[in-house]
């Protein structure tokens, strides 16, 4: 080992080149030892892992030195009544935020007691939007028109790059001389970013060749990937999912220690009016907490928490109680590829019955999306309930009823 | 073990109550076994962890069944020239997205070759904004006026709840009968959400008592926590950090295989015009990737990736090259509390020399924020460079120069 | 007259009922006299008008007391090279903001000198989005599905209400139990809000009847009318128009007293980065000034300035100069209906050759949209040029070159 | 006249130069005749005006050819209970949108019947934000720090340019190497854009001189003027005004023909959830209609409708009825300067008792802002009521109760 470390130190061996000379486990060990020396840090915990890294170093990470262990808890059982996920689930939640799992767990109990969460997927499509430079406004118009008129050519080019994905649509947007072509695919059980990027490259070259516009970047930020963008709320990206549940006055009193009006008012003043006043794209209490915890547990891309958590939470007053819902316009998820194959993450997906490709293809990713949405609903209910209960408690206290 | 599992099955023992009867490690084992049975899933990987969980089950998670292992790689060394972080760093990146570490690594090389990233913190303050219901518009105005006139009372109430935090400001916003009081604190080395929530409770009760407005919720969504909201971009939340680096034409050619104009154009059409056209709050290429990977590695709250990644990336054309920068208006980070104390996460912070509280207090969190911003800059440079190089390569090819 | 005023005073006659007893001109006179008395204000100017009010009191206003006179200036000639407007135009601008007409005029000279503005309409459709309440999430999904499957029924219902309009599309959006159906029409030369509202009523009743969802409001704010909303930027509303012009270095020096780099930098730091930092939906210098002045002159709805002015202005550096463009995603205009028939406003439309219905229908409104976009481009060029010239002048001065 | 027209035709006389050779009325007549010839349009109506144009051609417009007459109606009386406007008002509304005045009038009746609208101004300040280019991130930080430390110098420079205005604040924002300094002033009865622009120029030069940063543009779009920008919602620009009124069940039934629940539901699904789903910055029904009509009537800048109309409308359910409010965070208004001195516009301001400067200064502009907000409330109530009544009527019909 010392010899490699010497070569790393004198620069004759590059850190990323270790795998070329050593088997993965060995390379990781040498690299970790080198970093320990350079940073004067004992990396005992980081070095103590159990996942099989042969695939990991190929597909998931470079310059690996070990793993970070994120505590994993479960909430549930949660009754989900979706079109793809129909049953009771224990949600795997990887988090370091104390009280989160307990809070989601309380929401799960409430939903399950209420008969389960209705969940529906409204749209499904992963996107990539290359940007082209046209010569002038007339040319930009021509490029957009060419795309509209050659959808079948684009489909052919796109689908030639993938066995699994289905081309859905190509929408064009012009801003001056920049032309954005938002390509949309059904990527089945894959989250699909890689698939659409490869297809986008092929389509981009086709458009460049046929129209003379210059392909500036494979992603022109109208995709929009990993940024909070209204286009994703309006047109959807990944799954657009809605989950809801009806709670009776009795359930609200028993399990949330509050009442329907107080619950509705908390949502109104906080999630709707408060978010409006903050000029927010998120109208919810803490959707990101649940999305992040499930994404990390299940091998999703945690940078997708940005758009995946842009939820709207509603509390409708209905006869005898409330109807509470969450709407997630842009939830990018997959059950194959990315981090889904790593041992611990795969176990989490297996707990939900959605590991690997579904039969028919796409059903695992859809089921997972439904479960995530139901989990977000559980989180929202629990936090809103806690806020409302505190409010009610104070109100009682003040009136000598506490 | 079987006895406990029987009781869990028949409902006489609650899943979360195991720690009351068993030591943590045992409780986790029993719970995992129960979940294995319920979900017909072998949780071998999840169960195979090394972190010390005694503290974890108290502070970080409930219903723990084990851990998820997230691959950890390093990028660097990265030369950072901040006011708190000044030196060369290896960035710990926990990710499952192949090519990310390699990409950031390339950006680190480039920045380091260019002499390092200038980084400055422009603002620093963690916020919590309770919402109150006033009787009418006149009352709402009165509540806001009361707050403005009693800043010292509010400061006293707020600071009575914390040894470490310093009260900074209370800004009021009215929407009809809803009054939002955005409390801001210097939370030193803590990310500070807990601190400001506890202080907010105390202040909220004071305002309720003195003004007669009803405290509806401790968070009224104008904080804004874990939602993409313009208020955070405008007023800042957590650290407002800016990082930049000057690249010469030679560096751009050598390391990015492109040129200044092509690089600037890619940023212009993608990050600026493209994001504008998408009605986005993020004007960057993939800041969220770096923020998420460093947050998970270093025990930050990954739900904070939402606001932490709302960056603006700029490429200025300057004589003989470009000046590239990233601006992160709302980066919530800490080096104490949350997940920072877990073994593997603490090792990552130690690698950066920022584990635990700084001396003077606050300097570790600030140094960490500077390093993250420099890391984001590395990621942006690398991806923009790759897009620009592809573009340039195609341009050459077309002109028979390839 | 005194008798009527007495009755107005004692409440036995309502202000709006005067037209039932008196011819319009007389009713307006009595009403004005009454208001003069009530407010102790001489309304001599207001009462001194020349427009023919018989139609006006039926179609454009209630409780009329006279008119407000808005100063009208002209800028031009402006060379426009659109698909519908191709020629030189004098722009009618109704404004009270000193220097605006002069500024636009300068822009017109510049564009005309450069050979004219290229203009293209990328999309065209007026929208109305009723909102329905579903029973639960499953029902909401069903309502959206019903709409998708019954587009032809919806088209029939919609087109049964109009001789002129053509149904284009019905897009559904769900948020919890609320279902929004965004109906889009080609409204030809009419701006079309009335047309789509009447059609929306019919379609709304159909959907209500067939799906059992309750029609809550004919406009559910996803139209989006007269609010700044990203949905209009993304999907368009009214005309989506882009205008651009190429300027050589010589033109920039001669007419704008600046240079290409300074001009591009002003646009970059102000319209792109500045707007991004302000979390704006408008990336332009002062598009609203031109849109408002032309809208008031030409009888458009001035409340539509809100969305009509959400423009993106770009300055591309090109060999030997710049290419400058404006993109207006959501410009609602018409040449029939609304205020277009009032004498002075009709004269302004006539100046542009677009008064009344076009042949074929729709061509007048399209030509008008192209001219407005070219006018906005003129305004942007002039203001950016002035800012850049000031900057350049200061720079010269500082270096002793001034 | 013919001689001048010949010279205009052959280009030896410029259109804007007519006032140099002729008295204003004559110049306008010649120019109009020239335009009539060039555009083959009889401009009889445009030429038939009564306002005194001597001042107008100096202060309000260039290249004048006449006026556009906008029909003016009145709504009211409207009872306003503000801190500056306290009394009953007839609102002057200049519009061409049929039914608007009638609708606002109905709202006025309702508010007046309910005892009047409570109105409060929460903030007041007009802004201008020049943008500077710094050399690098460190320099940008230094420029911002210099501003923070030299507020008194900035105040002195700013106030040296104005007799009336008071400097309030200078807030700095950095994006990479761009530094935005948002200067805020109390501009008393003036809307204040000119005042802050002149002061901004002086301050800009000071900052440029002292820090070495280059002043790129006097407006860096963080002002934000005439664009829909979140910064104005968060920090306010012009007046931040809130108006509200309590309606009993009886009033709702009598005057709106609906009930409290239906009214609240319409607002909830349309103005809150619908606007959220559309990613809108406006959460209201049609605030822009009222703002535009009052702005045109009263000589305000109609391009300011963009930000002036970004309102949030709320309907709170309260015992025995509802409390309805509107919040306008960014209403730029004035009673001196701009178009306020033109005869017909001045008459409209006089009707409201707010023409010219107030005593003490600023009270007229504040009173006007309060009246506008109350007018917006009237418009919201009326339209929401109409939507709710339709819904209720359909509901009754369906259940055979109609």
């Amino acid at each position: 080992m010392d010899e490699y470390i010497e070569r790393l130190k004198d620069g004759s061996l590059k850190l990323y080149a270790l795998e070329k000379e050593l088997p993965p486990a060995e390379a990781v060990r040498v690299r970790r030892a080198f970093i320990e020396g350079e940073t004067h840090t004992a990396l005992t915990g980081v070095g103590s892992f159990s996942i099989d890294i042969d695939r990991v170093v190929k597909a998931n990470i470079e310059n690996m030195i070990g793993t970070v262990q994120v505590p994993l808890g479960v909430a549930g059982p949660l009754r989900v009544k979706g079109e793809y996920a129909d049953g009771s689930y224990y949600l795997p939640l990887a988090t370091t935020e104390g009280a989160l799992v307990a809070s989601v767990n309380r929401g799960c109990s409430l939903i399950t007691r209420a008969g389960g969460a209705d969940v529906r997927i409204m749209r499904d499509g992963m996107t990539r939007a290359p940007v082209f430079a046209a010569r002038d406004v007339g040319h930009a118009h021509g490029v957009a028109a060419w795309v509209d008129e050659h959808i079948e050519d684009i489909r052919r080019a796109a689908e030639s790059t993938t066995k699994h994905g289905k081309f859905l649509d190509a929408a064009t947007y012009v801003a001056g001389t920049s032309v954005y072509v938002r390509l949309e695919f059904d990527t089945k059980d894959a989250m699909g970013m890689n698939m659409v990027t490869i297809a986008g490259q092929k389509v981009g070259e086709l458009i460049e060749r046929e129209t003379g516009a210059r392909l500036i970047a494979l992603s022109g930020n109208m995709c929009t990937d990993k940024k909070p963008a209204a286009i994703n709320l309006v047109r959807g990206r990944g799954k657009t999912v809605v989950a809801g549940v009806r709670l009776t006055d009795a359930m609200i009193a028993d399990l949330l220690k509050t009442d329907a009006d107080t619950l509705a008012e908390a949502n109104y003043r906080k999630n709707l009016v408060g978010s409006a006043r903050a000029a927010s794209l998120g109208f919810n209490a803490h959707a990101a907490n649940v999305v992040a915890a499930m994404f990390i547990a299940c091998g999703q891309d945690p940078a997708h928490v940005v758009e995946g958590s842009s939820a709207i939470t509603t509390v409708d007053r209905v006869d005898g109680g409330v109807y509470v819902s969450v709407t997630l316009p842009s939830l990018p998820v997959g059950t194959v590829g990315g981090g889904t194959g790593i041992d611990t993450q795969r176990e989490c997906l297996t707990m939900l019955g959605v590991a690997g490709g579904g039969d028919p293809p796409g059903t695992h990713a859809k089921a997972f999306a439904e479960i995530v949405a139901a989990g977000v609903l559980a989180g929202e209910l629990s936090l809103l309930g806690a806020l409302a209960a505190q409010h009610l408690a104070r109100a009682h206290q003040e009136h000598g009823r506490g």
Side-chain angles (χ1 to χ4, degrees), chain A:
Chain A
M1 181 184 279
D2 289 354
E3 172 210 354
Y4 290 101
I5 289 182
E6 280 314 308
R7 288 170 57 203
L8 288 170
K9 277 189 180 163
D10 68 23
S12 65
L13 180 63
K14 293 289 180 190
L15 212 48
Y16 59 76
L18 279 168
E19 273 83 359
K20 291 179 189 160
E21 307 201 8
L22 294 167
E26 202 61 21
V28 167
R29 188 154 45 230
V30 171
R31 188 181 290 113
R32 186 171 61 247
F34 172 75
I35 294 291
E36 285 184 314
E38 294 292 304
T39 64
H40 311 290
T41 305
L43 296 171
T44 323
V46 162
S48 168
F49 54 86
S50 68
I51 55 168
D52 174 16
I53 63 168
D54 285 12
R55 234 196 81 195
V56 167
V57 298
K58 283 208 194 73
N60 297 113
I61 198 152
E62 302 80 42
N63 275 353
M64 185 172 173
I65 60 169
T67 75
V68 162
Q69 296 176 32
V70 185
L72 180 72
V74 290
L78 170 64
R79 179 78 178 89
V80 179
K81 299 184 295 186
E83 294 185 304
Y84 302 90
D86 192 349
S88 278
Y89 299 88
Y90 282 96
L91 308 182
L93 297 158
T95 186
T96 62
E97 186 182 346
L100 178 61
V101 175
S103 171
V104 176
N105 196 49
R106 193 171 74 128
C108 290
S109 301
L110 181 55
I111 291 173
T112 302
R113 161 101 174 264
D118 298 317
V119 195
R120 290 294 181 278
I121 294 175
M122 302 288 169
R123 279 190 107 272
D124 183 10
M126 180 47 61
T127 58
R128 189 45 107 189
V131 54
F132 303 84
R135 287 183 303 274
D136 54 31
V137 161
H139 188 206
H141 182 257
V143 174
W146 187 92
V147 170
D148 290 345
E149 291 158 11
H150 293 81
I151 290 291
E152 286 313 309
D153 295 333
I154 289 171
R155 178 193 310 275
R156 244 186 323 270
E159 295 193 346
S160 73
T161 64
T162 167
K163 273 183 307 202
H164 305 294
K166 296 275 293 175
F167 172 84
L168 295 176
D169 190 28
T172 57
Y173 299 89
V174 171
T177 55
S178 295
V179 184
Y180 304 83
V181 183
R182 196 171 190 258
L183 304 165
E184 188 176 23
F185 297 83
D186 176 354
T187 60
K188 305 298 178 187
D189 288 307
M191 178 269 280
M193 282 294 297
N194 283 346
M195 194 188 292
V196 302
T197 300
I198 293 164
Q201 174 81 35
K202 189 87 174 185
V203 173
E205 288 163 3
L206 172 68
I207 294 173
E208 187 169 53
R209 196 167 56 238
E210 296 293 326
T211 68
R214 291 180 292 125
L215 174 55
I216 297 297
L218 257 176
S219 159
N221 274 21
M222 293 199 73
C223 315
T224 299
D225 191 43
K226 301 176 179 173
K227 269 85 66 183
I231 195 170
N232 289 351
L233 308 185
V234 169
R235 304 219 58 148
R237 185 166 193 261
K239 272 71 172 165
T240 300
V241 204
V242 185
V245 68
R246 189 175 184 284
L247 304 180
T248 64
D249 289 328
M251 292 173 201
I252 299 169
D254 280 10
L255 285 143
L256 295 179
K257 314 297 177 202
T258 185
D259 57 41
D261 283 338
T262 307
L263 197 67
E265 184 178 16
N267 192 68
Y268 165 67
R269 294 196 188 264
K270 171 190 173 64
N271 286 341
L272 298 179
V273 179
S275 291
R277 196 70 179 83
S280 180
L281 289 178
F283 293 77
N284 61 81
H286 70 144
N289 276 334
V290 178
V291 172
M294 291 192 69
F295 270 32
I296 295 172
C298 298
Q300 309 299 306
D301 190 332
H304 277 148
V305 173
V306 174
E307 61 262 57
S309 65
S310 277
I312 300 174
T313 300
T314 62
V315 178
D316 307 344
R317 284 291 276 116
V318 296
D319 276 354
V322 293
Y323 191 87
V324 182
S325 81
V326 294
T327 301
L328 296 94
S330 178
L331 188 70
V333 292
T335 59
V336 300
T340 60
I342 300 170
D343 301 338
T344 47
Q345 286 81 334
R346 169 169 288 266
E347 290 173 6
C348 290
L349 288 168
T350 305
M351 275 174 58
L352 299 171
V354 298
D359 179 15
T363 50
H364 272 185
K366 285 191 171 77
F368 181 59
E370 290 179 340
I371 297 167
V372 172
V376 170
L377 182 63
E380 291 295 286
L381 268 175
S382 184
L383 181 46
L384 276 177
L387 293 168
Q390 279 186 38
H391 174 200
L392 203 67
R394 272 194 311 276
H396 282 194
Q397 217 167 8
E398 279 161 28
H399 295 83
R401 290 177 288 171

